[in-house]
Structure formats: C-alpha cells, structure tokens
C-alpha cells in the first residue's frame, strides 16, 4: 500500500519535531533524496551548515565533519526519508530504485537482515554497530535493542530519537553514549525493558541467550537420516529468521551432515 500525500506531510512534520530541523529544511532534504532516487542526496541548507552529500549505505559528507551530533542527525533523517520515499511508490515501479532496499551499501545483491531484536517491534528506523556491539532503534515502539556478543539488552527510549553511537567502550555498557538530534545521550539514562525481556513472544535470540536454553531445533538429538534432514531444515528456518548467524548455521549443519 502506497503512502498518500497527507501521510507524507504528516511524517515530514513529525520528522521536523523529532530532529529539531525546520519543516523547510526537512522538505529540502526530502527533495534532495527524491532527486537521488532514494539512494543519495546532494543538499545545501543553512541548518545543515551549507552543502553536503549523503549516500545510502554509509557515505556522509558535510562542511562540519567533526560535528557528530549534526552529521548523525542528517544521516539518520536521510535514511528515514529514503524509506518514506519507498513507501510512496508501488513495489517494482520502473525506474524508481537502482538497487534493492535490502541491499547493503551499494552492493546490488540482497542480504537478508538478521532480526535479533523482538519481532513485534517491526523494522528499526536506525541501526549501527561498533566493535562487537550493535544497536537497533524503533521509533514507534520507543524502544532500543543492544547486542554485545551473545547478550541482547532492551531499553525504553521515551521521546528520544537515536541517530547513532557517539562513544563506546567494549565490555562496559554503562559507558555507551548515543547521539540524538539534540545532543548526546548516555545509555545509563535509559530504563531497561524488564517487561519486554520477560515477554515470551519477544526476541528468540535474546531469550535463548538470557535463559541459557538452546533453541528448539538444538534440543532434540536426531538419530535417523530423516530426523537429521528435518533438523537441518529447522536450522535453515532459524538461519533465515536471523536467530542463527552464518557461522553458527554452517557449523551445526555440518555436524548433522557428519552423522548421515
């Protein structure tokens, strides 16, 4: 279902409030993203400190490269506007997108997204990583999931709009600092989601690692060839859902194949 003009205007107004830019600046950036087909934008606005360029997948250039808060806000907003632009157009519209929206950076291949966060939160509006830490921010749910190694922690973000990681010290979550359009936000100022963590309908990966219990496909010990093939099929489903990483899936699959 495509988005109407009224829906678009409402979202642009919301982005203006969230990011602290005027509606004129947001519309300027939206027009630039539109001209770039949703993949890139060349903009020039006083609120962005002059000219700059964005490319979906990680390229961000402005006249103030040291202003992490501003640059993260512009990049996050460009990503949101790119998603909004896709929502306006019917899937497969000729000439609209040059690459798949699920592709990483400018790679033309599709890399399925690993969903290591609670599935009921939907798709994140911002993701990022540093070292072995990754985060995913969900605007509508006002939640953020953070994964460090095998540990997944969930947080309430209230009315904050997370745009990126400003600082991280590996292994000590209390030192994490995120950027918002209005400044930096230490992680220890956010409340944990104990209610979401205890929700059995939540994230499968987080539940497995927190409880120490293996996934259902790993609990059984298949004996016959048919059982082994069925176990491999279950592992494949978990891999497609993002519960298992590529390395975990390949290792477990090979262990089962060795028993045939």
């Amino acid at each position: 279902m495509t988005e109407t003009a009224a829906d678009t205007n409402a979202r642009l107004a919301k982005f203006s409030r969230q990011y602290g830019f005027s509606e004129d600046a947001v519309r300027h950036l939206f027009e630039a993203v539109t001209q770039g087909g949703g993949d890139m934008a060349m903009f020039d606005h006083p609120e962005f400190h002059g000219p700059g360029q964005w490319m979906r997948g990680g390229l961000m250039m402005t006249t103030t490269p040291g202003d992490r808060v501003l640059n993260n806000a512009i990049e996050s907003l460009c990503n949101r506007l790119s998603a909004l632009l896709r929502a306006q157009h019917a899937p497969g519209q000729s000439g609209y997108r040059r690459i798949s929206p699920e592709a990483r950076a400018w790679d033309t291949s599709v890399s399925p997204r690993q969903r290591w966060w609670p599935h009921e939160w939907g798709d994140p509006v911002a993701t990022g990583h540093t070292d072995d830490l990754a985060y995913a921010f969900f605007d509508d749910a006002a939640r953020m999931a953070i994964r460090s190694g095998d540990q997944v922690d969930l947080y309430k973000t209230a009315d904050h709009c997370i745009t990126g990681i400003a600082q991280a010290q590996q292994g000590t979550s209390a030192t994490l600092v995120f950027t918002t359009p209005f400044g930096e936000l230490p992680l220890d100022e956010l409340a944990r989601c104990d209610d979401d963590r205890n929700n059995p309908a939540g994230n499968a990966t987080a539940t497995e690692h927190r409880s120490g219990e293996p996934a259902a496909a790993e609990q059984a010990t298949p004996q016959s060839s048919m059982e082994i093939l069925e176990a491999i099929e279950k592992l494949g489903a978990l891999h497609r859902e993002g519960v298992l990483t590529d390395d975990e899936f390949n290792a477990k699959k090979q262990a089962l194949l060795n028993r045939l």
Side-chain angles (χ1 to χ4, degrees):
M1 181 178 179
T2 58
E3 182 151 318
T4 66
D7 291 334
T8 298
N9 290 334
R11 288 185 181 272
L12 294 181
K14 177 183 177 181
F15 293 160
S16 173
R17 296 189 298 271
Q18 280 188 314
Y19 287 87
F21 298 129
S22 67
E23 289 194 33
D24 177 72
V26 173
R27 289 186 178 279
H28 170 81
L29 200 57
F30 184 51
E31 291 174 0
V33 172
T34 301
Q35 291 175 359
D39 291 321
M40 63 177 296
M42 298 184 66
F43 52 86
D44 187 353
H45 195 278
E47 293 183 37
F48 306 141
H49 292 187
Q53 185 174 355
W54 163 83
M55 186 178 296
R56 190 170 65 83
L59 176 64
M60 184 73 209
M61 295 189 298
T62 68
T63 58
T64 56
D67 192 336
R68 189 189 302 268
V69 170
L70 176 64
N71 286 296
N72 282 356
I74 296 174
E75 181 177 16
S76 174
L77 181 54
C78 284
N79 287 326
R80 301 282 294 274
L81 294 172
S82 176
L84 176 60
L85 188 61
R86 292 196 296 272
Q88 288 184 329
H89 294 71
Q93 180 171 339
S94 176
Y96 172 55
R97 294 201 62 77
R98 291 186 291 277
I99 61 177
S100 166
E102 288 299 320
R104 305 298 172 85
W106 283 86
D107 186 5
T108 57
S109 62
V110 176
S111 300
R113 171 181 281 168
Q114 290 189 354
R115 294 178 177 273
W116 48 268
W117 48 79
H119 293 182
E120 66 270 21
W121 289 0
D123 290 325
V125 299
T127 59
H129 63 85
T130 177
D131 298 324
D132 67 341
L133 181 144
Y135 80 92
F137 168 61
F138 304 81
D139 182 34
D140 291 339
R143 296 288 189 270
M144 179 166 60
I146 297 177
R147 182 177 67 178
S148 179
D150 290 340
Q151 177 72 27
V152 176
D153 295 303
L154 312 177
Y155 295 86
K156 299 177 181 180
T157 56
D159 58 350
H160 295 292
C161 180
I162 307 299
T163 58
I165 296 179
Q167 177 182 340
Q169 180 176 329
Q170 187 174 358
T172 308
S173 61
T175 64
L176 284 175
V177 178
F178 291 86
T179 58
T180 76
F182 302 99
E184 296 183 347
L185 175 70
L187 179 62
D188 56 12
E189 292 187 11
L190 300 180
R192 287 179 176 268
C193 298
D194 293 330
D195 53 341
D196 291 327
R197 181 165 31 242
N198 296 327
N199 183 358
N203 173 257
T205 304
T207 302
E208 290 157 9
H209 290 309
R210 279 191 294 269
S211 65
E213 296 177 357
E218 299 175 67
Q219 291 178 350
T221 304
Q223 301 297 331
S224 68
S225 297
M226 183 61 67
E227 288 176 335
I228 291 174
L229 292 176
E230 289 176 353
I232 293 175
E233 184 176 352
K234 291 178 181 179
L235 286 174
L238 292 173
H239 178 242
R240 290 191 295 274
E241 293 173 3
V243 174
L244 296 177
T245 65
D246 292 342
D247 291 340
E248 290 171 337
F249 169 70
N250 291 329
K252 296 178 189 299
K253 181 180 71 172
Q254 188 59 51
L256 287 171
L257 288 174
N258 290 339
R259 299 172 57 186
L260 285 174

